Amino acid sequence: MNKVARVLFRYFVKGMLVVVPVGAAIFLMYWAVASIDKALNLSDFLVDKTGKHVYIPGLGILNVVVVIMIMGVLVTNVITEPIKAWFRRWFARLPIFAFLYSSIKDLTEAFVGEEKKFNEPVLVEVNEFGLKKIGFLVQKDLAKIGLPGEVAVYFPYSYSFAGQVVIVAADKVKPMDKSAADVMKFVISGGVSGLD
């Protein structure tokens, strides 16, 4: 009986190693899509004959895709540089909005813009005992803020998309011969995947 229980437990653990990551990934993707869809579904405007709100699955996601495409067309073909400058000046007058807008804009551009920021993975020697951290070089020259010979490195946290920016001496930073996507996956997974 004890042997059977051990075999069953081993099967359970192996099954868990497959089911938990797949289930968690599917759940997180479903939760994110469902949350966006529910928030932007416009069901408040759609009412049936009995007066109940009509929920159309996928309408919120479709709204997001359409708005993004329309903005892409407008920014590419219609909105000129003077109009963009006017909007930037107008946003600058709203302190909290300007801070949030510029932070989110910079973060978005860092991942999907023309000048991706997290594309240079580096290994940084942190202390005299040989402790090293993996990060991404985000600023190569800090002379503008009075720190010549120093660089800014972003260290993402494991199991999170948060992180911290640390200023270190340039000679403590060593480029890594791996793709940025693999290194990001390695760090975010807590070091258990991404460097295959």
Side-chain angles (χ1 to χ4, degrees), residues 5 9 14 53 59 80 86 97 121 134 153 178 184-185 194:
F9 181 72
K14 286 187 178 184
H53 295 291
L59 184 61
T80 62
W86 180 82
F97 181 82
I134 294 174
V153 178
K178 288 285 183 186
M184 183 67 86
K185 191 190 313 181

Side-chain angles (χ1 to χ4, degrees), residues 39-108:
L40 302 171
N41 199 285
L42 303 178
S43 60
D44 291 339
F45 300 112
L46 303 172
V47 181
D48 65 9
K49 294 176 184 176
T50 62
K52 292 183 180 177
H53 295 291
V54 178
Y55 176 76
I56 302 173
L59 184 61
I61 298 296
L62 181 64
N63 289 335
V64 170
V65 170
V66 168
V67 167
I68 289 173
M69 294 294 284
I70 290 171
M71 289 307 296
V73 169
L74 289 175
V75 168
T76 304
N77 300 314
V78 177
I79 299 177
T80 62
E81 229 15 80
I83 295 173
K84 290 178 189 174
W86 180 82
F87 273 110
R88 282 192 291 269
R89 283 193 308 272
W90 190 75
F91 288 156
R93 293 181 185 163
L94 307 169
I96 294 173
F97 181 82
F99 172 75
L100 291 173
Y101 169 77
S102 64
S103 299
I104 294 169
K105 180 177 179 279
D106 291 344
L107 183 63
T108 305

Side-chain angles (χ1 to χ4, degrees), residues 120-181:
E120 285 189 59
V122 294
L123 192 62
V124 179
E125 189 175 324
V126 178
N127 63 20
E128 66 274 6
F129 302 111
L131 179 68
K132 295 176 180 65
K133 288 182 82 172
I134 294 174
F136 295 88
L137 191 62
V138 291
Q139 292 290 332
K140 294 180 183 179
D141 183 16
L142 297 177
K144 292 179 183 177
I145 60 172
L147 298 170
E150 307 267 337
V151 295
V153 178
Y154 175 75
F155 293 111
Y157 294 137
S158 297
Y159 300 103
S160 170
F161 287 102
Q164 68 181 125
V165 174
V166 177
I167 309 300
V168 296
D171 62 349
K172 300 284 186 195
V173 177
K174 183 168 77 172
M176 294 180 69
D177 190 24
K178 288 285 183 186
S179 76

